[in-house]
Amino acid sequence: MSRLVFNLPRPRPRVVVKADLLPSVSVLSLIGLVGIPLGWLWSRLAPGQRVRVFDGGQLIPLQLESWHRFDALAIYGLLGMGAGVVTGSVVWLMRERRGPVIMIAAVLGSLLSAWLGVTMGGAFAGGMYTVTGSPKVGDVLTKAPEIESWWVLVAQPLATALVYGLLAGWNGRDDLGRRLG
């Protein structure tokens, strides 16, 4: 006697929103706070720009020193991308909360972290390169590094979304492996 096997379609898992709201706010705020040490680390790694004082208090960079503007931007971009990769991986490890709600919270938290890192990093760097006294014409000073392009803010959230999306695609389960009942 042969057995008949029917492959009935299983119901698709639904997105859990209400249960994930409070954890997503916690994830957003915790990831946002990562920006403070990120900004501090950037302020220690980014090189200052040596400038010469000219008439009227005009600061002109010395030869080849203007390249440090790109160095500061690139260093923060790489730090942000690294933080985004770590953030996406760690949030994925929260198995019981996997889904679009927590991913959106992680990406928004990474955007907050990037903004906070840029603003706090500028403040930390400004504190390291304070000018004591009034400079005279011809003096060479070291100007604090600064981030001149706000496009660097997309590096960390983009890396977070990319890593989380790749891990979700690699998972292959409809429920992403959630263990909630």
Side-chain angles (χ1 to χ4, degrees), residues 131-135:
V131 177
T132 58
S134 60

Side-chain angles (χ1 to χ4, degrees), residues 79-161:
L79 284 173
M81 285 175 41
V85 167
V86 171
T87 299
S89 302
V90 168
V91 170
W92 177 257
L93 293 176
M94 295 173 51
R95 184 176 188 136
E96 62 276 353
R97 297 292 175 206
R98 288 181 184 166
V101 176
I102 210 76
M103 186 191 103
I104 291 170
V107 170
L108 290 177
S110 293
L111 183 63
L112 175 65
S113 172
W115 175 80
L116 194 59
V118 167
T119 56
M120 292 300 293
F124 289 137
M128 284 180 49
Y129 294 96
T130 57
V131 177
T132 58
S134 60
K136 298 176 186 75
V137 174
D139 285 350
V140 175
L141 306 173
T142 303
K143 184 178 163 188
E146 56 188 24
I147 295 178
E148 298 175 6
S149 174
W150 287 95
W151 281 102
V152 76
L153 293 182
V154 300
Q156 186 175 351
L158 183 67
T160 300

Side-chain angles (χ1 to χ4, degrees), residues 26-39 109-110 112-114 116-117:
S26 299
V27 164
L28 187 144
S29 59
L30 183 65
I31 293 171
L33 289 177
V34 169
I36 296 172
L38 195 67
S110 293
L112 175 65
S113 172
L116 194 59

